Amino acid sequence: MIPRTRVAQVLRPLARATASTPTAASSRMAMRCIATSAPRLLSASSPRRATKLTTEMYPGIKRDERFKQLSSDDVTYFKELLGSDSALIDGLHQDAAADIEPFNEDWLHKYKGQCRLVLKPGSTEDVSAILKYCNEQKLAVVPQGGNTGLVGGSVPVFDEIVINMARMNKIHSFDEVSGSLVADAGCILETTDQYLAERGAIFPLDLGAKGSCHIGGNMATNAGGLRLLRYGSLHGSVLGLEVVLPDGTIMNDLCTLRKNNTGYDLKQLHIGAEGTIGIITKVSIQCPRRSSAINVAFFGLESFEKVQQAFREAKGQLSEILSAFELMDGKSQSMVHKVRPDSKKPLEDEHPFYCLIETSGSNGEHDYAKLESFLEDVMTKEIITDGVVAQDATQLKSLWSWREGIPECLGHWGGTYKYDVSIPIQDMYAIVDDISAKMEEAGLVGETDEYPVVGVVGYGHMGDSNLHLNIAVRRYDVEVEKILEPYVYEWIADKKGSISAEHGLGIAKKNYIGYSRDETTIGLMKQIKNLYDPNGIMNPYKYV
Amino acid sequence: MIPRTRVAQVLRPLARATASTPTAASSRMAMRCIATSAPRLLSASSPRRATKLTTEMYPGIKRDERFKQLSSDDVTYFKELLGSDSALIDGLHQDAAADIEPFNEDWLHKYKGQCRLVLKPGSTEDVSAILKYCNEQKLAVVPQGGNTGLVGGSVPVFDEIVINMARMNKIHSFDEVSGSLVADAGCILETTDQYLAERGAIFPLDLGAKGSCHIGGNMATNAGGLRLLRYGSLHGSVLGLEVVLPDGTIMNDLCTLRKNNTGYDLKQLHIGAEGTIGIITKVSIQCPRRSSAINVAFFGLESFEKVQQAFREAKGQLSEILSAFELMDGKSQSMVHKVRPDSKKPLEDEHPFYCLIETSGSNGEHDYAKLESFLEDVMTKEIITDGVVAQDATQLKSLWSWREGIPECLGHWGGTYKYDVSIPIQDMYAIVDDISAKMEEAGLVGETDEYPVVGVVGYGHMGDSNLHLNIAVRRYDVEVEKILEPYVYEWIADKKGSISAEHGLGIAKKNYIGYSRDETTIGLMKQIKNLYDPNGIMNPYKYV
């Protein structure tokens, strides 16, 4: 039994928050900007070089000769169809490279296509007419939302036509009683959530790119984000979709009902299909009430075994109000502290592991009482070693910054090799120890410039078994990569994990799907692709 | 502003519960037993007559001549395959009609097939070998779980072979940290939930037939049940499925991870497919922690407008702890009281509408305080007129019995025409007024035996927009039916509702899908059926 005084000490309010820490929103965005799972060096300090063409980076990919080259007649057809200069960027008849660049390149400047025509349909009928024509003419296309994806799924590889959904951005209806929202695919997530906030509701999805990403793109990539632990997967919250199929057929499955058992739930196939079997044009989704109270606690633990115990207790005791349970290892926190020495650490001592818990509910006093009681309990049981609770919004943001600032800080020395994976929870951290030991054994880790590796760290969404395995490096090094691949993928396959927890496949992971899916399943997926898109015009060279 | 004394009166504890009211479990089961949406008379008092053959009731359905008749060789093949006498009921070589009857008939005794062979596979490999053989031999099959469906989906129409899953009933794993459960399709829902209860978890689905239904059948019918408001749809909580396809292919998508974005989410097609494109053999599902505290309130309101206001307030103020919001109209409650005059009513006065609210959370005191505060608020705002809160488990069951006892009591006069529909919430009750007015106008409603209709009532799951429209009658009457159909279906189609909220299509609603789905969508569904089951052997004559 721990003395009561020590328990009281654990529950002391956090009174050291500094005003200079970045806001949750900005640091979250920074985290997203750096995130990537392909082993590629991203330098935070060096000036940006011109992005290489994807075809140079992937010389093995050849243009599918089934696809027609864009002609003047095609452009004329689209101009007549869309009827507005602003709805089309024509790179065939004029030099529009600069205008087209933002549509050809992803925001990480990792992938660059060679598209010469961008179409911006204004209606579902426009999308239908475009796809019907492209399918008949064998013109390949790339559906594009906010272009915030991390695996190169939303930009062309060769000369595919970009169909950008930004003009379809209307909210059609929101039923304040049932919580069902119907909106265009091109609505920006944050704008949509603000609309809901004014009506006491919340979009059941939150992620770093919310200021740019489209809700249609969120559906197409089955985005997971920060609220999955609480609000569940989009497969559960999406009520209906309107989708234009590759041949122009409009599938109107825009139901606003929570229960509708009348036939196969076809819309589910399009959630996470990454635009390979249709373009999502409208979304109907169940939006919960917005919680009025948010509380955050931050604590240290001595082993991953204790982290699992704490998670189990949190699920039991905080149950319905638990909205986040984030994991950070000691190495990640000490690296954040090295980069930001002026930010005072939430806990004085060093701990092998740290967790951040967020609760959200309808009564702040109740939630705080539950959180206090939980912390007392896990302290008494010696599950956690030390901890603090945020007393106001500034402290809350400060605590979050120690989790959300990790990716940005890891890039400080030069770059980061990153993997975004799901692993059954009991094995979730072992891969970090394993890779770390291999790097040490190979003599690659050290404090000085002669060593390529600064450190191997693990952090992520404990609540979703979603680990970010990161290797912070000073420079690109083939010896480091030799250790990482295919070893990491084999390790994940062996534990029945997923090589892509939430980012999807795109072009980056197309070749690795076999580590997470068996041949039969991949064959069945290809059957679906062939059923809906026999000419293969939708987002070619990617996905399965 | 209402005087404080009146508010206090509303919050008085319920102290009049009688011990003689049926338990929630038994009355819930009773509710399910009577539930049916096809307009057919069910008499609670008369002795059961022999069930008519489905082919007599639906003379328009002809046996598909593509299907082979069962031969002695086929039975020999299956006997060798399954290797155990108890794994097969052979009605070809012996008179096994009595043994086969429970597999040929549904539990409501509404549908009866003419199957002469029941197979009970013991493994996924057995199921695969059976389907491969049947597909090659063109033998039609009916997958069967607990046979508790309400639309005739789980029994044969002609001589289809029944593949009953009862022998595959093992729980394979439960991860107490992540909450993922892996179990055979033939596990009984209640048994599975008891297993989870011992480990502090809950199956994210609850329904009246839980003592008999299989979890595989729950998945195949996309069961909704009593907890959907809280735990969401199975499309969100199912993590993975193992499915045997009609040609014997085993699709192993038995993931235990919450996040896995590696290709099309094929398992979703099988959730709600009613066994028409494969047989679900194993289930992986996310199970939340079990709530330790349950509270129930019951109150009266003066209009459906006020019911909607109360629901909106409940979602806002009770938010994360709200686990049920049930609606009952005044007519339904007065009819329950007529049948059970000795049960004292929860509220003394009559009200046009009643609601039952259930909360479940991790802290009973907090939940009770929230519920009290909610009731004070809606009373002060004159949204509700009167109300009570259960003080113990007996009172809780008693309050539930006024909701769950409705179906049983409505059958008291002879039978009930029943519709289980989803309608956008603002229009949800209007259909009851509408049908009621039509019956009155036609002079069909009255207190004495000369009138066929006793009353038109509405009740259901307000939280899911799921209405039970019931017409209690003294006898079968063609004039009543003329008013009901196709008017009810047209009414639902006009409001973009669903003709089957949770029971599915089966044989009962196969012909009505056009009221809830357009031709394009139905065409796309048939495309999926043809892709997976080109010989049409899986559960023929039903579904889409």
Side-chain angles (χ1 to χ4, degrees):
Chain A
M1 190 71 186
I2 300 174
R4 183 80 194 166
T5 48
R6 190 160 157 222
V7 173
Q9 187 194 7
V10 170
L11 297 170
R12 72 185 181 279
L14 173 78
R16 328 186 199 89
T18 61
S20 65
T21 50
T23 64
S26 71
S27 65
R28 186 174 301 162
M29 183 59 78
M31 174 179 78
R32 279 289 176 173
C33 284
I34 297 186
T36 162
S37 56
R40 191 155 301 121
L41 196 74
L42 291 170
S43 171
S45 46
S46 60
R48 187 167 89 74
R49 283 168 300 188
T51 309
K52 272 192 182 176
L53 287 176
T54 304
T55 50
E56 290 174 52
M57 282 168 44
Y58 292 84
I61 305 177
K62 304 297 174 199
R63 187 178 182 283
D64 189 333
E65 289 310 323
R66 285 182 301 172
F67 302 141
K68 190 181 121 174
Q69 303 274 358
L70 188 72
S71 73
S72 194
D73 284 353
D74 300 326
V75 177
T76 305
Y77 173 84
F78 292 123
K79 279 187 179 168
E80 279 173 16
L81 173 72
L82 297 177
S84 154
D85 282 348
S86 65
L88 185 145
I89 307 177
D90 173 8
L92 194 71
H93 298 102
Q94 63 206 55
D95 179 12
D99 289 345
I100 292 183
E101 193 183 87
F103 302 90
N104 253 333
E105 256 188 81
D106 74 319
W107 69 333
L108 298 174
H109 306 294
K110 285 173 59 190
Y111 302 96
K112 185 173 180 177
Q114 301 157 60
C115 152
R116 296 175 73 189
L117 180 67
V118 176
L119 303 177
K120 298 181 186 174
S123 69
T124 303
E125 290 66 33
D126 282 354
V127 177
S128 171
I130 290 169
L131 285 187
K132 187 169 188 296
Y133 181 86
C134 288
N135 193 46
E136 284 165 2
Q137 298 291 321
K138 312 270 189 299
L139 287 161
V141 303
V142 174
Q144 189 177 76
N147 196 11
T148 63
L150 295 158
V151 290
S154 56
V155 288
V157 176
F158 292 95
D159 57 342
E160 301 92 90
I161 297 169
V162 167
I163 303 176
N164 184 286
M165 299 299 288
R167 279 180 67 218
M168 290 183 64
N169 61 358
K170 284 182 198 62
I171 289 172
H172 293 277
S173 66
F174 176 62
D175 183 328
E176 292 197 28
V177 182
S178 72
S180 67
L181 172 86
V182 178
D184 279 349
C187 288
I188 288 172
L189 176 57
E190 192 167 47
T191 313
T192 312
D193 188 54
Q194 280 163 356
Y195 170 94
L196 290 166
E198 288 162 16
R199 288 151 183 87
I202 190 169
F203 201 89
L205 174 74
D206 186 19
L207 45 81
K210 68 176 165 187
S212 311
C213 66
H214 293 184
I215 61 170
N218 296 148
M219 306 302 130
T221 55
N222 187 30
L226 303 167
R227 288 179 190 153
L228 191 125
L229 172 68
R230 177 64 170 272
Y231 299 117
S233 134
L234 291 174
H235 287 286
S237 51
V238 172
L239 300 173
L241 293 177
E242 181 189 77
V243 184
V244 180
L245 302 180
D247 66 357
T249 299
I250 298 170
M251 183 181 88
N252 180 353
D253 188 8
L254 212 52
C255 179
T256 57
L257 306 164
R258 289 198 78 167
K259 286 179 173 174
N260 181 17
N261 276 350
T262 52
Y264 304 113
D265 198 350
L266 299 177
K267 68 173 180 287
Q268 301 286 352
L269 281 180
H270 297 272
I271 299 175
E274 301 185 26
T276 59
I277 53 173
I279 297 185
I280 295 168
T281 45
K282 287 195 187 75
V283 173
S284 169
I285 191 164
Q286 182 72 28
C287 299
R289 297 290 293 195
R290 210 171 188 92
S291 294
S292 54
I294 312 280
N295 285 303
V296 167
F298 188 101
F299 48 89
L301 313 93
E302 67 190 31
S303 68
F304 187 66
E305 184 56 41
K306 301 269 185 192
V307 173
Q308 289 181 73
Q309 288 173 23
F311 179 53
R312 192 159 37 201
E313 292 295 337
K315 281 181 71 177
Q317 297 180 41
L318 302 173
S319 191
E320 70 277 4
I321 60 165
L322 188 64
S323 54
F325 193 111
E326 297 289 306
L327 164 75
M328 300 140 279
D329 64 8
K331 186 86 188 167
S332 73
Q333 293 302 280
S334 68
M335 287 172 80
V336 170
H337 191 57
K338 270 187 194 164
V339 178
R340 300 179 185 169
D342 295 340
S343 298
K344 204 163 180 191
K345 294 185 293 180
L347 306 176
E348 275 165 34
D349 298 329
E350 304 270 317
H351 304 272
F353 290 92
Y354 299 87
C355 290
L356 181 150
I357 280 186
E358 185 191 82
T359 66
S360 54
S362 52
N363 184 312
E365 276 177 42
H366 289 170
D367 294 359
Y368 194 82
K370 285 192 183 86
L371 191 55
E372 273 196 327
S373 156
F374 161 74
L375 288 171
E376 267 192 44
D377 182 65
V378 288
M379 185 71 191
T380 308
K381 289 176 180 160
E382 299 191 356
I383 295 171
I384 71 167
T385 319
D386 195 5
V388 289
V389 183
Q391 299 297 307
D392 57 35
T394 308
Q395 292 184 355
L396 188 148
K397 282 180 181 172
S398 170
L399 288 181
W400 262 114
S401 78
W402 285 89
R403 159 64 185 86
E404 299 195 295
I406 299 173
E408 192 182 354
C409 293
L410 292 184
H412 171 80
W413 288 268
T416 319
Y417 291 103
K418 288 172 173 282
Y419 296 87
D420 162 49
V421 300
S422 277
I423 302 173
I425 212 157
Q426 65 276 16
D427 296 320
M428 189 173 147
Y429 193 74
I431 192 170
V432 184
D433 286 333
D434 199 355
I435 294 293
S436 190
K438 279 185 172 287
M439 294 288 174
E440 294 278 357
E441 265 170 45
L444 296 167
V445 191
E447 295 285 326
T448 55
D449 270 2
E450 66 193 288
Y451 300 99
V453 177
V454 184
V456 177
V457 311
Y459 60 97
H461 315 293
M462 184 80 183
D464 314 328
S465 272
N466 185 182
L467 178 82
H468 298 298
L469 164 67
N470 282 201
I471 299 93
V473 292
R474 295 188 175 85
R475 59 190 169 269
Y476 174 87
D477 191 294
V478 75
E479 293 305 314
V480 174
E481 278 169 35
K482 269 189 201 163
I483 289 176
L484 289 173
E485 293 198 11
Y487 183 78
V488 169
Y489 291 126
E490 286 168 357
W491 201 101
I492 293 162
D494 186 53
K495 300 290 180 188
K496 298 190 173 157
S498 170
I499 59 147
S500 183
E502 53 182 354
H503 298 169
L505 297 169
I507 191 165
K509 297 193 190 171
K510 178 185 167 67
N511 293 331
Y512 303 109
I513 183 173
Y515 286 103
S516 283
R517 301 285 195 171
D518 64 21
E519 261 184 54
T520 305
T521 307
I522 295 170
L524 291 166
M525 288 180 185
K526 288 185 173 164
Q527 204 180 35
I528 291 289
K529 168 73 178 176
N530 292 337
L531 178 72
Y532 281 99
D533 185 22
N535 295 324
I537 61 159
M538 300 292 298
N539 221 357
Y541 320 111
K542 298 166 191 164
Y543 204 60
V544 176
Chain B
M1 191 73 184
I2 301 175
R4 183 82 193 167
T5 48
R6 189 157 159 225
V7 173
Q9 185 193 9
V10 170
L11 297 170
R12 74 187 179 281
L14 174 77
R16 329 188 198 87
T18 60
S20 65
T21 49
T23 65
S26 70
S27 64
R28 185 176 300 160
M29 183 61 77
M31 175 179 77
R32 279 290 176 169
C33 284
I34 298 186
T36 163
S37 56
R40 192 153 304 120
L41 196 73
L42 291 170
S43 169
S45 47
S46 60
R48 186 166 88 75
R49 281 168 298 187
T51 308
K52 272 193 182 176
L53 287 176
T54 304
T55 50
E56 289 176 51
M57 283 167 44
Y58 293 84
I61 304 177
K62 303 298 175 199
R63 187 178 182 284
D64 188 333
E65 290 309 323
R66 284 182 301 172
F67 302 141
K68 191 180 118 175
Q69 302 275 356
L70 188 71
S71 74
S72 194
D73 285 353
D74 300 327
V75 177
T76 305
Y77 173 84
F78 292 123
K79 279 186 178 167
E80 280 173 16
L81 174 72
L82 297 177
S84 154
D85 283 349
S86 65
L88 185 145
I89 307 177
D90 173 7
L92 194 70
H93 298 101
Q94 62 204 55
D95 179 11
D99 289 345
I100 292 182
E101 193 183 89
F103 302 89
N104 252 333
E105 256 188 81
D106 73 320
W107 69 333
L108 297 175
H109 307 292
K110 284 173 60 190
Y111 303 95
K112 186 173 181 177
Q114 301 156 60
C115 152
R116 296 175 73 189
L117 181 67
V118 176
L119 304 177
K120 299 181 187 173
S123 69
T124 303
E125 290 66 33
D126 282 355
V127 177
S128 170
I130 290 168
L131 285 188
K132 187 169 188 297
Y133 182 87
C134 289
N135 192 47
E136 284 165 3
Q137 298 290 321
K138 312 269 189 301
L139 286 161
V141 302
V142 174
Q144 189 177 76
N147 196 11
T148 62
L150 297 158
V151 289
S154 56
V155 288
V157 177
F158 292 95
D159 57 343
E160 301 91 89
I161 297 169
V162 168
I163 303 176
N164 184 285
M165 299 299 288
R167 280 180 68 219
M168 290 182 64
N169 61 358
K170 284 181 199 62
I171 289 172
H172 293 277
S173 67
F174 175 62
D175 183 329
E176 293 197 28
V177 182
S178 73
S180 66
L181 172 86
V182 178
D184 278 349
C187 288
I188 288 171
L189 176 56
E190 192 166 46
T191 314
T192 312
D193 189 53
Q194 279 163 357
Y195 169 93
L196 290 166
E198 287 162 17
R199 288 153 183 84
I202 190 169
F203 200 89
L205 174 74
D206 186 17
L207 45 81
K210 67 176 164 187
S212 311
C213 66
H214 293 184
I215 60 170
N218 296 148
M219 305 302 130
T221 54
N222 188 29
L226 302 167
R227 289 181 189 152
L228 192 124
L229 173 67
R230 177 64 169 275
Y231 299 117
S233 135
L234 291 174
H235 287 286
S237 51
V238 172
L239 300 173
L241 293 177
E242 182 189 77
V243 184
V244 180
L245 302 180
D247 66 357
T249 298
I250 300 170
M251 184 180 88
N252 180 353
D253 188 9
L254 212 52
C255 179
T256 58
L257 306 164
R258 290 198 77 164
K259 286 180 173 174
N260 182 16
N261 276 349
T262 53
Y264 303 114
D265 198 349
L266 299 176
K267 68 172 181 289
Q268 300 287 352
L269 281 180
H270 297 273
I271 300 175
E274 301 185 26
T276 58
I277 52 171
I279 297 185
I280 294 167
T281 45
K282 288 194 186 74
V283 173
S284 169
I285 190 163
Q286 182 72 27
C287 299
R289 298 290 293 194
R290 211 171 186 92
S291 295
S292 54
I294 312 279
N295 285 302
V296 167
F298 189 101
F299 48 88
L301 312 92
E302 67 189 30
S303 68
F304 187 66
E305 184 57 41
K306 301 268 184 191
V307 173
Q308 290 182 73
Q309 287 172 23
F311 179 54
R312 192 159 34 200
E313 293 293 338
K315 281 182 72 179
Q317 297 180 41
L318 302 172
S319 188
E320 70 277 4
I321 60 166
L322 187 65
S323 55
F325 193 111
E326 297 290 307
L327 164 75
M328 300 140 280
D329 64 8
K331 188 86 188 165
S332 74
Q333 293 302 280
S334 69
M335 287 172 81
V336 170
H337 191 56
K338 269 188 195 163
V339 179
R340 301 178 184 170
D342 296 338
S343 298
K344 202 159 183 193
K345 294 186 292 180
L347 306 176
E348 276 164 35
D349 298 331
E350 305 269 318
H351 304 273
F353 289 93
Y354 300 88
C355 290
L356 182 148
I357 280 185
E358 184 190 82
T359 66
S360 53
S362 52
N363 184 312
E365 277 177 42
H366 289 170
D367 294 359
Y368 194 82
K370 284 192 183 87
L371 190 56
E372 273 196 326
S373 155
F374 161 74
L375 288 171
E376 268 193 43
D377 182 66
V378 288
M379 185 71 190
T380 308
K381 289 176 180 160
E382 298 191 358
I383 294 171
I384 72 168
T385 319
D386 195 5
V388 289
V389 183
Q391 299 296 306
D392 57 36
T394 309
Q395 292 184 355
L396 188 148
K397 282 180 182 171
S398 170
L399 288 181
W400 262 113
S401 79
W402 285 89
R403 160 65 184 85
E404 298 194 297
I406 299 172
E408 192 183 352
C409 293
L410 293 184
H412 172 79
W413 289 268
T416 319
Y417 292 103
K418 287 173 174 283
Y419 296 87
D420 162 48
V421 300
S422 278
I423 301 173
I425 212 157
Q426 65 277 16
D427 296 320
M428 190 173 146
Y429 193 76
I431 192 170
V432 183
D433 286 333
D434 199 356
I435 294 293
S436 190
K438 280 185 171 289
M439 294 288 173
E440 294 277 358
E441 265 170 44
L444 295 167
V445 191
E447 296 285 327
T448 55
D449 271 2
E450 67 193 286
Y451 301 99
V453 177
V454 184
V456 177
V457 310
Y459 60 98
H461 315 293
M462 184 81 182
D464 315 328
S465 272
N466 184 182
L467 178 83
H468 299 297
L469 164 68
N470 281 202
I471 300 94
V473 293
R474 297 187 174 86
R475 59 188 169 270
Y476 173 87
D477 191 295
V478 75
E479 293 304 314
V480 174
E481 277 168 36
K482 270 189 201 161
I483 290 176
L484 289 172
E485 295 201 8
Y487 183 78
V488 168
Y489 290 126
E490 287 167 355
W491 200 100
I492 293 163
D494 186 52
K495 302 289 180 188
K496 299 189 173 160
S498 171
I499 60 147
S500 183
E502 52 183 354
H503 296 169
L505 297 169
I507 191 165
K509 298 194 190 171
K510 178 185 167 67
N511 293 332
Y512 303 110
I513 184 174
Y515 287 101
S516 284
R517 301 286 194 171
D518 64 22
E519 260 184 56
T520 305
T521 308
I522 297 170
L524 291 167
M525 288 180 185
K526 288 185 172 163
Q527 204 181 36
I528 291 290
K529 169 72 177 176
N530 292 337
L531 178 73
Y532 281 98
D533 185 23
N535 295 323
I537 62 160
M538 300 292 299
N539 221 355
Y541 320 112
K542 300 166 190 164
Y543 203 61
V544 176

